[in-house]
Amino acid sequence: RFVEQMNQTATELGLENSHFVTPDGIHDEEHYVCAADLVKICRLAMEDPILSKYVGLATMDVTTGGGRTLSWKNSNKLLHDDLELYCQYATGLKTGYTGAAGNCLISSFRVGNRDLLIGVFGCPAFTDDRYLDTLAIYNNL
């Protein structure tokens, strides 16, 4: 039922080349999202102040109702100021991987008074290519 609603919302948002089968994005031949639709989704997500805040955090500690503190670390290396791939203008977004799609990254940046999204898809596993490619695009704007 949830996936049905995902597909209905996708249609309402004008996502023309997307179809959801699972809520978690695990690979399925009938589950797909094209790059243009991903950018539309990310643009909408960044308009939400709560989502944009949390996708831009490098780390965060959360205390559970039971009093346990959990530490969360964002997998987006562009956000960590202690890493070589850090970019001070990166404002977040989403890393991803499936066997079919490879390593992917949609990054958001603040450039002057504008927001910019860069998507990189199909990078090899166990490399930093998705970050290096993103920075190469960003640095050549």
Side-chain angles (χ1 to χ4, degrees), residues 1 9 11 14 16 18 26 50-51 53 57-58 63 73 80 82 89-90 95 103 111 122 125 127 133-135:
R1 189 159 166 85
T9 300
T11 299
E16 298 177 4
S18 297
I26 298 297
I50 295 170
L51 284 173
K53 172 186 173 182
L57 294 176
T63 303
K73 183 176 180 181
H80 294 273
D82 60 336
Y89 302 106
T95 63
N103 275 334
V111 180
T127 71
D133 290 352
T134 296
L135 290 172

Side-chain angles (χ1 to χ4, degrees), residues 89 109-115 138:
Y89 302 106
F109 297 87
R110 187 73 179 168
V111 180
N113 63 350
R114 297 182 60 188
D115 293 312
Y138 175 79

